[in-house]
Amino acid sequence: ATARVHLPPLQLPSWTTHITPGVNADYHGTTIRLAASSPLHPPVMYDLVLATCQLIQVAAQQPAPAAHG
């Protein structure tokens, strides 16, 4: 018989419309790196803790400075 794992729902920011996997080099890791984004928000990097489905923000891209001219 196959064991089923029941995890709590993933709580993403309300503006998230797209999730992109990050570099997840450790096969036995306890977290997964991912980026959440939307057309109006630059990507925000998170680590997803697999045991708890907790998202921990790692970094956010800063908007490009406005051009003066």
Side-chain angles (χ1 to χ4, degrees):
T2 302
R4 291 188 178 253
V5 177
H6 296 280
L7 299 173
L10 182 58
Q11 298 296 316
L12 294 167
S14 61
W15 48 260
T16 304
T17 59
H18 188 75
I19 300 172
T20 306
V23 177
N24 296 292
D26 186 359
Y27 180 78
H28 298 287
T30 58
T31 62
I32 295 175
R33 177 74 41 100
L34 57 89
S37 63
S38 79
L40 300 177
H41 287 83
V44 178
M45 296 300 296
Y46 292 95
D47 280 343
L48 171 63
V49 180
L50 296 175
T52 62
C53 281
Q54 178 185 11
L55 279 179
I56 300 170
Q57 185 173 335
V58 178
Q61 287 186 355
Q62 298 300 320
H68 297 287

